Amino acid sequence: MPRPISARIHLDAIRHNLDFVKRTAAASRVWAVIKANAYGHGIERIFTALAAADGIALLDLDEAVRVRELGWTGPLLLLEGIFDARDVETAARYRLTVTVHCDEQLDLLEAAKPPQPIDIQLKMNSGMNRLGFRPGDYVRAWRRASGIASIGEIGLMTHFANADDGSIDWQIDNFDAATKDLPGTRSLSNSASVLWHPRAHRDWVRPGTILYGASPTGSARHIEGIPLRAAMTLESQLIGVQTLQAGETIGYGRTFSADRTMRIGVVACGYADGYPRHAPAGTPVMVDGVRTRIVGRVSMDMLTVDLTPCPHAGIGAPVELWGERVRVDEVAEPSGTIGYELMCALARRVPVVASSRLDAAQIA
Ligand SMILES: *Cc1c(COP(=O)(O)O)cnc(C)c1O
């Protein structure tokens, strides 16, 4: 028997979330963002759930080639564009749309003679101060791009710094002022902006994390009531049970001591599986269908849970570390991170299974 841990990927949840995005930004086309191996869910595994997307966006040239080879014929966007001259030819061969955020990338395109022109998304730095042309330089960059023979259509794009926690009007205003005389499609919105800033929906939206059912803010309470379904369930089982007397401690560092007689469950899941070591006592977990909490320090291969609310749970009882009933954000937030990171950091040693049908956990 392998260790009982596994991650289940729910294709129906991704389809449902994509459909929700399409209804929420009904006038926009959708780039489904699947960078970082589809936020840890596996590009090949989830690919069929993306059929209703208008385009697919990611980072790696290799990932883009894989997506074409899976049979995707629609628009395919490289969010950071190309990195050297050889990439131009690959982009042309696989009909990739490339982000262009600096003059050096325009130099590469200008020097190349691809067999057909390459569509670009010209990126503006409207305030994020990571990638892109500054608003005052944008029209010049656009004019330069439109004079380059190897460039086809030019879309206009930018990315928000705080769509998850504040007003983004200042960035939208920067973008609109700098692009007011330019033709081309507009693409501004990440997940947070899809949910909370309809003014920024425009021609194309670019949701990532909400396709997987995680919160763009990192906090589960911000997506309460929004019909997003978790696309990943990390599940395991109890492999041990201990009864502690008052004053006894659990695990490394003896960080938790029982204040009464307590049953403690030992779960086959640790930080080497991708569960955050920083998760404090009190982090929620489902054991045998009952919500309880982890106690003691997370170790490499195991963690420990309070069995007080589930007195009948014994060895073999099912445990959901995160999924439909414990949102990944509820584990991430007390651990000082965001659901994005936990999903992306699922460890290679965890077997992953795709399930295409709704299961009981999701319907509940
Ligand atoms: C990652 C990324 C997105 C998606 O962000 P989410 O917060 O996951 O929705 C959109 N646009 C760009 C440029 C990105 O890099």
Side-chain angles (χ1 to χ4, degrees), residues 199-224:
R199 183 185 165 209
H201 286 173
R202 309 295 167 96
D203 302 297
W204 285 84
V205 294
R206 303 188 308 271
T209 203
I210 56 175
L211 296 179
Y212 312 99
S215 170
T217 66
S219 182
R221 66 182 180 281
H222 293 139
I223 57 167
E224 237 167 63

Side-chain angles (χ1 to χ4, degrees), residues 33 35 39 79 123 157 159 190-191 206-209 340:
V33 179
K35 61 192 178 186
Y39 290 50
L79 288 165
K123 184 158 186 178
M157 96 184 254
H159 193 51
N190 56 6
S191 290
R206 303 188 308 271
T209 203
Y340 295 68

